[in-house]
Amino acid sequence: MSETVKYLLDESRMPKHWYNLVADLPQPPPPVLHPGTLQPIGPDDLAPLFPMSLIMQEVSTEREIEIPEPVRSIYRQWRPSPLYRARRLEKALDTPARIYYKYEGVSPAGSHKPNTAVPQAFYNKEAGVKRIATETGAGQWGSSLAFAGALFDIEVEVFMVRVSYQQKPYRRALMESWGATCTPSPSERTAAGRSILAKRADHPGSLGIAISEAVEIAAQREDTKYALGSVLNHVLLHQTVVGLEALAQLEMADDYPDVVVGCTGGGSNFAGIAFPFLGEQLRGGRPVRVVAIEPAACPSLTRGRYAYDFGDTAHLTPLTKMHTLGSTFTPPGFHAGGLRYHGMAPLVSHVSQLGLIEARAYHQIGCFEAGVQFARVEGILPAPEANHAVRGAIDEALRCKQEGVSRAILLNLCGHGHFDMQAYMDYFAGKLSDQNYDEAELAMALSGLPSVAEA
Amino acid sequence: MSETVKYLLDESRMPKHWYNLVADLPQPPPPVLHPGTLQPIGPDDLAPLFPMSLIMQEVSTEREIEIPEPVRSIYRQWRPSPLYRARRLEKALDTPARIYYKYEGVSPAGSHKPNTAVPQAFYNKEAGVKRIATETGAGQWGSSLAFAGALFDIEVEVFMVRVSYQQKPYRRALMESWGATCTPSPSERTAAGRSILAKRADHPGSLGIAISEAVEIAAQREDTKYALGSVLNHVLLHQTVVGLEALAQLEMADDYPDVVVGCTGGGSNFAGIAFPFLGEQLRGGRPVRVVAIEPAACPSLTRGRYAYDFGDTAHLTPLTKMHTLGSTFTPPGFHAGGLRYHGMAPLVSHVSQLGLIEARAYHQIGCFEAGVQFARVEGILPAPEANHAVRGAIDEALRCKQEGVSRAILLNLCGHGHFDMQAYMDYFAGKLSDQNYDEAELAMALSGLPSVAEA
């Protein structure tokens, strides 16, 4: 039997700095704009929402940003995370490709999200913040911030998209186990929520609405801040610990990726694995193909417009230039809840515009097929989001077979599927379909972009 | 903030042998008897059910038994598992105790069960077995054998206690993800199942019945064997990899446990952590208090009789001397499904008779309280079974505080609670109660012990 090989990094080699891609880009990303003045915002504009240390990371152009020791001390509970050579998968595919996967499911919350939840909680604690409000879709982010909040003794209040709140009571229970409170969104607790409920009392909610509610709560109180689990520069920055470890681990394996594959919703796990390799390339190192896999039902990179847009539905956030389907876009129901966001991280959008990455959109059934194949040979059942990356890596490996070339493929297995068994049950029962988004809905959402959109 | 310290063993120090406590015991355990002849059984009697290599392990008196390289190669995916010093828990309890936990939730199935599922699948594969039948209660064992079966390309057929099959569809989906088939028990597939359904068509099932069905299926076909996830000597043997690693890790920490705590259902995770330390003591090393925590609703060690009894309800198994509540005993519903078995591992029962271990019975609500407290400081949400060990360790730590002494406490955190969120929801909703078993039921079950019982 072929052997799965594990590359474990000694704790002493866990990264001491996060990597900031902005320092190496040929062009800086476009500025964030104030929605009222349409002028670039400054750090002070964000101060009601975030502690200043995170704002300074958001706008930093330094290449390396130190990971504070208290954060490293918590990271050490599960980091460095393992990198595996998927020899059994290679054999099953009969491919000459060398497939590596970085496994982020080893964190207590089961995904990559604690990589940013922990530093966000740390910096908030340092700033004297008592409470953090946030939103969550499928619950990966909400539970990760609940975990981090418990460790730093910060209250965490999660607005959870109502339909997920109802469909995923176990994710909610996980947040509550860590002491967070969880409110279905839209709720009566905010003006944003109330205005939506007034129009439709049984509104199923959306990530954009939940963001509006959390932002509103955070802006109201001095001791309360807001936290986002993806999209923003500082979130992507924290996730680079993944790729930095993978770089060192592939060195142990005496290998280097020809292709890096990640799934994209807001873009943070993708950036986490890919940016350190892009940085190497930009600094004159070996070039790498970087492939973003997004859901065909919510295809911001492949079908969205690169434009200034709001991050939320009630338009309480600043304007960022990103690939967007429009802030009112509602994707059809599919199971990778973590990939259901109308926009793409501005920094991922920017590197896409610069031609540094490719993007592909996949339907869900083929992704579940790939995930089950992966589980049966590699033993780990991926989250539905991660199945997109697995599908992408398998397709790359099959291409290697077709072309008769051996390439090294690195994929980010960003989380396990233990909380997504309903999705697998539906898949096995043949209940899943490959839904497309509604073209008219997309056109309408795009027509609602702010007038500054194409600036 | 206090820091959780991780002790990671280098892969090169992963044990190369399992440890067999029998070699060091002052008295050998009582023989297993044939239910017909009441004479000690020989290896051939077990040959219809198990491959000979496992039978030889079952009766071995060798101190060390080599872990085959293909098994070690799979162990390496998650082993050596981490040992943590729970400094944040110590601080929260304000105790002078030093609390260590060995975390087995890092396996792909989320518990310690793959430690034995993998070698069992390996030895069956080596013996040319095509199919393994087994039973499962809560699903931890069934999913672990499904995982191992997938890796070795062996069909796995799981009889799942009907009430669990209905209540825990996600565990079933996990088994199916790994390619196993899962049948609710009692079923129409076996004579044992049919005879029970004839009396009661909606019978909720029990572990004892599911064992009968799996044994019956295995005995019928040459290419099919049976596998058990706990209780038997070879299962306990495989789990000693846990305690052997912990020994080496505590050496790294320059410490040695005064107390070792584990939860007991069938006894395998408890034996896995405790036996290597008991072995040290028996060979003249440092003595250690070993504490088994069992559920008050199914208290085989504290309230059962030490007697010869059957392992299953239909009385298809040999007779083993163990602490038993009687093979027809049905415990009240409680959430640690992995601890709902009428008997205790013969070897654990034997060391209990020899006065080498203590046992305590706990009700579930206090255990959930302990588990939630643990999750909020240590970040890991334990399985309901593991909560018993956590409660036991916390009580020991509080005793240290009361007595003003610092002792080292080692507990086996045998699995995570990701598949047990319904139990946590019920706990948070105040729906749990501390049910007692029925005394009349126990008396009746004990009166049904075979006549040879007290031999």
Side-chain angles (χ1 to χ4, degrees):
Chain A
M1 200 185 63
S2 307
E3 181 176 323
T4 293
V5 187
K6 177 171 67 175
Y7 297 97
L8 251 197
L9 214 54
D10 189 80
E11 248 182 49
S12 64
R13 296 189 64 197
M14 192 175 77
K16 294 190 172 59
H17 298 84
W18 293 299
Y19 167 66
N20 184 7
L21 181 67
V22 173
D24 290 316
L25 287 177
Q27 275 174 246
V32 176
L33 303 184
H34 190 287
T37 65
L38 300 185
Q39 293 303 305
I41 60 166
D44 288 346
D45 293 305
L46 293 171
L49 294 185
F50 303 103
M52 196 47 73
S53 40
L54 285 174
I55 296 171
M56 296 322 288
Q57 291 184 355
E58 187 65 20
V59 299
S60 172
T61 56
E62 294 293 311
R63 180 173 292 122
E64 296 195 321
I65 294 178
E66 194 181 349
I67 309 177
E69 180 47 37
V71 171
R72 285 171 43 88
S73 130
I74 294 174
Y75 274 0
R76 266 184 222 114
Q77 190 172 15
W78 71 94
R79 305 210 72 85
S81 70
L83 176 86
Y84 294 102
R85 167 92 185 260
R87 282 195 189 269
R88 292 195 294 254
L89 178 61
E90 292 168 17
K91 195 180 168 195
L93 298 172
D94 188 24
T95 173
R98 306 178 311 280
I99 307 174
Y100 297 90
Y101 58 100
K102 178 76 170 163
Y103 185 41
E104 291 294 310
V106 290
S107 81
S111 78
H112 64 294
K113 293 287 186 187
N115 295 333
T116 184
V118 171
Q120 290 196 52
F122 166 77
Y123 290 118
N124 273 285
K125 183 74 182 182
E126 234 190 6
V129 172
K130 299 275 179 269
R131 199 165 60 139
I132 304 178
T134 197
E135 71 291 327
T136 201
Q140 295 262 20
W141 167 243
S143 52
S144 297
L145 193 66
F147 156 74
L151 300 189
F152 286 100
D153 201 16
I154 293 181
E155 261 183 72
V156 172
E157 172 147 17
V158 183
F159 287 90
M160 187 170 186
V161 175
R162 183 181 296 275
V163 59
S164 294
Y165 182 91
Q166 285 158 348
Q167 285 173 356
K168 296 178 188 267
Y170 292 174
R171 271 281 177 198
R172 173 163 42 105
L174 184 61
M175 295 181 229
E176 288 168 357
S177 297
W178 278 316
T181 58
C182 190
T183 305
S185 165
S187 78
E188 295 285 348
R189 300 212 35 228
T190 65
R194 286 189 296 271
S195 86
I196 284 169
L197 290 173
K199 284 177 224 146
R200 183 177 164 192
D202 67 340
H203 197 290
S206 75
L207 213 44
I209 295 169
I211 294 176
S212 297
E213 294 207 276
V215 165
E216 187 181 324
I217 289 281
Q220 276 163 9
R221 284 174 53 165
E222 194 64 46
D223 64 353
T224 302
K225 298 286 179 194
Y226 169 69
L228 192 66
S230 189
V231 178
L232 298 179
N233 296 351
H234 67 270
V235 179
L236 276 52
L237 174 80
H238 300 155
Q239 292 295 350
T240 59
V241 68
V242 177
L244 291 168
E245 285 181 4
L247 255 171
Q249 286 165 309
L250 283 164
E251 203 180 298
M252 286 172 68
D254 201 17
D255 212 340
Y256 197 87
D258 299 291
V259 190
V260 177
V261 183
C263 63
T264 46
S268 76
N269 96 75
F270 169 78
I273 191 116
F275 282 7
F277 291 93
L278 279 181
E280 294 287 318
Q281 172 183 327
L282 289 166
R283 292 193 304 279
R286 199 167 140 179
V288 63
R289 271 182 61 225
V290 175
V291 184
I293 311 289
E294 62 181 12
C298 192
S300 56
L301 272 173
T302 55
R303 300 297 311 277
R305 193 172 300 166
Y306 185 56
Y308 272 102
D309 196 7
F310 290 97
D312 72 324
T313 306
H315 296 179
L316 302 176
T317 68
L319 292 166
T320 52
K321 194 151 189 186
M322 60 181 176
H323 287 85
T324 178
L325 301 163
S327 66
T328 62
F329 177 78
T330 306
F334 61 97
H335 271 296
L339 307 182
R340 291 168 55 86
Y341 184 60
H342 70 274
M344 178 49 57
L347 208 46
V348 171
S349 296
H350 182 58
V351 298
S352 168
Q353 285 300 111
L354 292 174
L356 293 169
I357 66 169
E358 303 167 25
R360 289 207 291 270
Y362 280 172
H363 278 296
Q364 67 178 350
I365 293 179
C367 295
F368 275 96
E369 272 168 22
V372 169
Q373 179 173 28
F374 185 88
R376 289 185 186 176
V377 288
E378 293 298 320
I380 297 169
L381 189 73
E385 292 81 3
N387 283 344
H388 288 72
V390 172
R391 173 83 271 162
I394 288 179
D395 285 358
E396 289 291 332
L398 292 175
R399 213 170 102 180
C400 287
K401 181 180 175 178
Q402 214 171 20
E403 299 173 7
V405 267
S406 172
R407 294 193 195 96
I409 300 164
L410 169 64
L411 82 108
N412 194 6
L413 198 71
C414 59
H416 64 57
H418 296 177
F419 291 100
D420 304 284
M421 295 315 299
Q422 187 62 50
Y424 279 94
M425 286 181 67
D426 291 350
Y427 167 68
F428 288 125
K431 286 186 191 160
L432 295 191
S433 64
D434 279 344
Q435 287 172 282
N436 285 304
Y437 61 88
D438 187 310
E439 289 284 357
E441 155 96 25
L442 175 60
M444 172 114 95
L446 288 175
S447 74
L449 286 177
S451 53
V452 70
E454 313 286 344
Chain B
M1 201 186 62
S2 307
E3 181 176 321
T4 292
V5 188
K6 177 171 66 175
Y7 297 97
L8 250 197
L9 214 54
D10 190 80
E11 247 181 48
S12 64
R13 295 189 65 195
M14 192 175 77
K16 295 190 172 60
H17 298 84
W18 293 298
Y19 167 66
N20 183 7
L21 180 67
V22 174
D24 289 317
L25 287 177
Q27 274 174 246
V32 176
L33 302 184
H34 190 287
T37 64
L38 301 186
Q39 293 302 305
I41 60 166
D44 288 347
D45 293 306
L46 293 171
L49 295 185
F50 303 104
M52 195 49 71
S53 41
L54 286 173
I55 296 171
M56 295 322 288
Q57 290 183 356
E58 187 66 19
V59 299
S60 171
T61 55
E62 294 294 309
R63 179 173 291 122
E64 295 196 322
I65 294 178
E66 194 180 349
I67 307 177
E69 180 47 37
V71 171
R72 297 183 79 235
S73 130
I74 294 174
Y75 275 180
R76 266 184 221 113
Q77 190 172 15
W78 71 94
R79 305 211 71 86
S81 71
L83 177 85
Y84 294 102
R85 168 92 185 260
R87 282 193 188 271
R88 293 195 294 254
L89 178 60
E90 293 167 16
K91 195 180 168 194
L93 298 172
D94 189 23
T95 173
R98 309 180 307 280
I99 306 174
Y100 298 90
Y101 57 100
K102 179 75 170 163
Y103 184 42
E104 291 295 308
V106 290
S107 81
S111 78
H112 65 293
K113 295 286 187 188
N115 295 333
T116 184
V118 171
Q120 289 196 50
F122 166 76
Y123 290 118
N124 273 285
K125 183 74 181 183
E126 233 191 7
V129 172
K130 300 274 177 272
R131 199 166 60 139
I132 303 178
T134 198
E135 72 290 327
T136 201
Q140 294 261 22
W141 166 244
S143 53
S144 297
L145 193 66
F147 156 74
L151 300 188
F152 286 99
D153 200 17
I154 293 181
E155 262 183 70
V156 172
E157 171 148 17
V158 183
F159 288 90
M160 188 170 185
V161 175
R162 184 180 297 274
V163 59
S164 293
Y165 182 91
Q166 287 159 348
Q167 285 173 356
K168 295 176 188 266
Y170 292 174
R171 272 281 176 195
R172 173 163 43 106
L174 184 61
M175 294 181 228
E176 288 167 358
S177 297
W178 279 315
T181 58
C182 191
T183 305
S185 165
S187 79
E188 294 286 348
R189 300 211 35 229
T190 66
R194 286 189 295 273
S195 84
I196 284 169
L197 289 173
K199 283 177 225 147
R200 182 176 165 193
D202 66 341
H203 197 291
S206 76
L207 213 44
I209 295 168
I211 294 177
S212 298
E213 293 208 276
V215 165
E216 187 181 324
I217 289 280
Q220 276 164 9
R221 284 174 53 164
E222 193 64 45
D223 65 352
T224 303
K225 298 285 180 194
Y226 168 69
L228 192 65
S230 189
V231 178
L232 298 179
N233 295 350
H234 67 270
V235 179
L236 276 52
L237 174 79
H238 300 155
Q239 292 296 350
T240 58
V241 68
V242 177
L244 290 167
E245 285 181 6
L247 255 170
Q249 287 165 308
L250 284 164
E251 202 179 299
M252 287 170 68
D254 201 16
D255 211 339
Y256 198 86
D258 298 291
V259 191
V260 176
V261 183
C263 63
T264 47
S268 76
N269 95 75
F270 169 78
I273 192 117
F275 281 8
F277 291 93
L278 279 181
E280 293 287 318
Q281 172 182 327
L282 289 166
R283 291 193 304 279
R286 198 166 139 178
V288 62
R289 270 182 62 223
V290 174
V291 184
I293 311 289
E294 62 181 10
C298 192
S300 56
L301 272 173
T302 54
R303 299 298 311 277
R305 193 173 299 167
Y306 185 57
Y308 272 103
D309 196 7
F310 291 96
D312 72 323
T313 306
H315 297 178
L316 302 176
T317 68
L319 292 166
T320 51
K321 195 151 188 186
M322 59 181 177
H323 287 85
T324 178
L325 302 163
S327 66
T328 62
F329 177 79
T330 306
F334 63 98
H335 271 296
L339 307 182
R340 290 169 55 88
Y341 184 59
H342 69 275
M344 178 49 57
L347 208 47
V348 171
S349 296
H350 182 58
V351 298
S352 169
Q353 284 302 109
L354 292 174
L356 294 169
I357 65 169
E358 303 166 25
R360 288 208 290 269
Y362 281 173
H363 278 297
Q364 66 179 349
I365 294 179
C367 295
F368 274 97
E369 272 168 22
V372 169
Q373 179 174 26
F374 185 88
R376 290 183 186 177
V377 288
E378 293 298 320
I380 297 170
L381 190 72
E385 292 82 4
N387 283 344
H388 288 73
V390 173
R391 174 83 270 162
I394 288 178
D395 285 357
E396 289 291 332
L398 293 175
R399 213 171 101 178
C400 287
K401 182 180 175 180
Q402 214 172 17
E403 298 174 5
V405 264
S406 172
R407 294 192 194 97
I409 300 165
L410 170 64
L411 81 108
N412 195 7
L413 198 71
C414 60
H416 63 56
H418 297 177
F419 290 101
D420 304 284
M421 295 315 298
Q422 187 62 50
Y424 279 94
M425 286 183 67
D426 291 349
Y427 167 68
F428 288 126
K431 285 188 193 160
L432 295 191
S433 64
D434 280 344
Q435 287 173 281
N436 285 304
Y437 60 88
D438 187 310
E439 289 283 357
E441 155 96 26
L442 175 60
M444 173 115 94
L446 288 176
S447 74
L449 286 178
S451 53
V452 71
E454 313 287 343

